[in-house]
Amino acid sequence: MRIYHLSAECYPVAKVGGLADVVGALPKYQNQAGLDAAVVMPYYNRKFVHENVFDTVFRAVTLLGTRRLYFEILKERNNVLGFELYLVKIPGLIDRQEVYMYPDENDQFLAFQLAFLDWISYSQQSPDIIHCHDHHSGLVPFLLQNSRLYERLAGTATVFTIHNGQYHGAFGWERLPLLPEIDLTKTSLLDWSGGINPLAAAVKCCKKFTTVSPSYLEELTISSNGLEYLFYLERGKGVGIINGIDTEVWNPDTDPMLPVHFAAAKPDAGKKKNKEALCKQFDLPLDKPLISFIGRLVLEKGADLIADAIELTLKEHKGEVSFLILGAGDPQMEKIIACIKKTSP
């Protein structure tokens, strides 16, 4: 069974959140189970790309409306991740360093999806399943079923996994001409709240959708940034599967990022030595409790609570505790936390 995972992130190529961890692990274990899984993602000008060997396996031109985009499909030569890895490269559009936050982000991910579909269509591939992850690949299930260009692939099963239901990738109807040769009688499948919503379209058009836990499947019917009723309507084809971890990567006995290795069954001594190294690196007192936060500084991660929590703790326990924050995101939240750093002793 041939499975393509289509994602904006994949550890260790490019990682912003948990999406990368899932896409970097699931296909590896699917292959070990006897399936044939591969990952397709955008090209990023990052360390992993420069340290590994890639071969160009396909070249063509895709259309983004009237805009002609030359693209290449690059394949990592040695399967170092335990699965085939393909990168979609479009000069000037999908060849940058960062994953998100560009002003033409909608164009980037739309072009990524079109290049992927053109590649498997022109090369006469017939995958059994296309597994789309988050809104960055959310238009693929719709296009497979409703674009004349991909009629041959219309019967391909699609699975859509929602890692974060707060981000939809929505854009206005004036951009509809960017979608190639679609059946205009089916545009209601794209619509939500008066615009084109890739995440909503994927939920409507995929064969099955999954979430990162059973509880998150229920949470989406309560809080999903305006899609609550859609998830209520489509709940019959939703499945919550709790995220696991790749214990070959997240293993304190072998993790190359840890100064001192330790067995998971006996963590105390190893954790103490790693705290010593961390405190030395950031000039923090070793004899004080160290409270840390690692994650995106955004509302759904609770980052809006961090500043008040730190200030309250420092007020009540001045000089008795240290905080270490690693993350980026909302500029205002970053600014507030940076101000605390400047004003705290």
Side-chain angles (χ1 to χ4, degrees):
M1 177 179 286
R2 180 61 164 173
I3 304 169
Y4 275 123
H5 290 270
L6 198 58
S7 174
E9 301 178 34
C10 175
Y11 178 84
V13 188
K15 171 179 165 66
V16 175
L19 166 61
D21 295 316
V22 173
V23 178
L26 179 57
K28 178 174 73 175
Y29 289 99
Q30 287 177 326
N31 285 338
Q32 291 178 11
L35 304 176
D36 181 15
V39 169
V40 184
M41 64 183 298
Y43 176 101
Y44 300 108
N45 186 22
R46 289 193 164 204
K47 181 179 178 182
F48 182 91
V49 175
H50 299 304
E51 292 183 346
N52 291 277
V53 180
F54 287 82
D55 298 312
T56 300
V57 296
F58 190 81
R59 294 185 178 94
V61 172
T62 192
L63 290 176
L64 189 63
T66 58
R67 184 179 173 189
R68 292 173 57 85
L69 297 175
Y70 168 83
F71 72 90
E72 297 179 339
I73 305 295
L74 309 179
K75 181 180 183 292
E76 191 274 311
R77 181 180 296 177
N78 299 310
N79 287 4
V80 296
L81 300 181
F83 51 81
E84 293 179 0
L85 173 68
Y86 297 90
L87 305 181
V88 176
K89 184 176 183 180
I90 302 178
L93 187 64
I94 304 178
D95 59 355
R96 303 166 184 172
Q97 182 173 5
E98 301 304 324
V99 180
Y100 307 120
M101 305 304 290
Y102 291 103
D104 57 355
E105 185 174 292
N106 282 334
D107 285 354
Q108 287 181 297
F109 290 120
L110 180 52
F112 165 59
Q113 294 172 83
L114 296 179
F116 165 74
L117 289 173
D118 285 352
W119 167 47
I120 62 172
S121 178
Y122 297 160
S123 57
Q124 294 298 301
Q125 298 183 58
S126 298
D128 297 284
I129 296 174
I130 297 178
H131 190 150
C132 303
H133 295 264
D134 274 349
H135 74 81
H136 322 101
S137 54
L139 292 173
V140 167
F142 171 84
L143 290 169
L144 284 173
Q145 298 170 21
N146 300 292
S147 172
R148 190 179 66 83
L149 289 182
Y150 312 119
E151 286 178 342
R152 184 183 67 82
L153 298 163
T156 306
T158 53
V159 176
F160 182 61
T161 295
I162 301 156
H163 301 263
N164 191 328
Q166 297 297 316
Y167 298 102
H168 304 168
F171 49 89
W173 283 105
E174 72 279 359
R175 297 171 65 79
L176 182 65
L178 299 183
L179 303 184
E181 300 188 42
I182 64 170
D183 182 349
L184 294 177
T185 68
K186 301 295 180 63
T187 54
S188 62
L189 294 170
L190 296 168
D191 178 72
W192 197 263
S193 192
I196 297 174
N197 190 310
L199 192 141
V203 172
K204 294 177 186 180
C205 297
C206 68
K207 184 173 183 178
K208 284 283 186 180
F209 74 86
T210 72
T211 63
V212 295
S213 72
S215 61
Y216 194 51
L217 179 62
E218 297 300 319
E219 183 181 331
L220 289 171
T221 65
I222 301 169
S223 175
S224 51
N225 198 18
L227 294 183
E228 295 81 6
Y229 188 54
L230 175 64
F231 284 112
Y232 173 78
L233 292 174
E234 299 284 357
R235 64 192 182 281
K237 65 177 178 180
V239 181
I241 303 174
I242 193 164
N243 266 2
I245 62 169
D246 186 343
T247 54
E248 294 179 3
V249 174
W250 301 104
N251 183 351
D253 202 25
T254 59
D255 192 336
M257 301 301 291
L258 292 178
V260 179
H261 291 149
F262 60 92
K266 298 179 180 180
D268 292 348
K271 290 178 71 174
K272 181 178 180 180
K273 291 179 180 178
N274 281 299
K275 179 186 175 183
E276 291 175 0
L278 196 61
C279 289
K280 181 178 180 181
Q281 180 178 351
F282 291 97
D283 194 25
L284 298 171
L286 181 59
D287 59 339
K288 301 293 192 298
L290 175 60
I291 301 173
S292 63
F293 173 90
I294 302 174
R296 286 183 293 122
L297 300 178
V298 291
L299 191 66
E300 62 268 23
K301 298 295 184 181
D304 57 315
L305 305 175
I306 293 176
D308 288 342
I310 292 175
E311 289 185 321
L312 181 61
T313 303
L314 294 178
K315 181 179 179 180
E316 296 185 1
H317 303 279
K318 186 175 182 180
E320 299 177 17
V321 63
S322 300
F323 287 90
L324 188 59
I325 310 297
L326 175 61
D330 184 277
Q332 186 63 24
M333 294 183 190
E334 292 181 12
K335 183 178 179 180
I336 293 172
I337 292 173
C339 287
I340 295 175
K341 177 184 177 181
K342 293 178 182 178
T343 58
S344 299

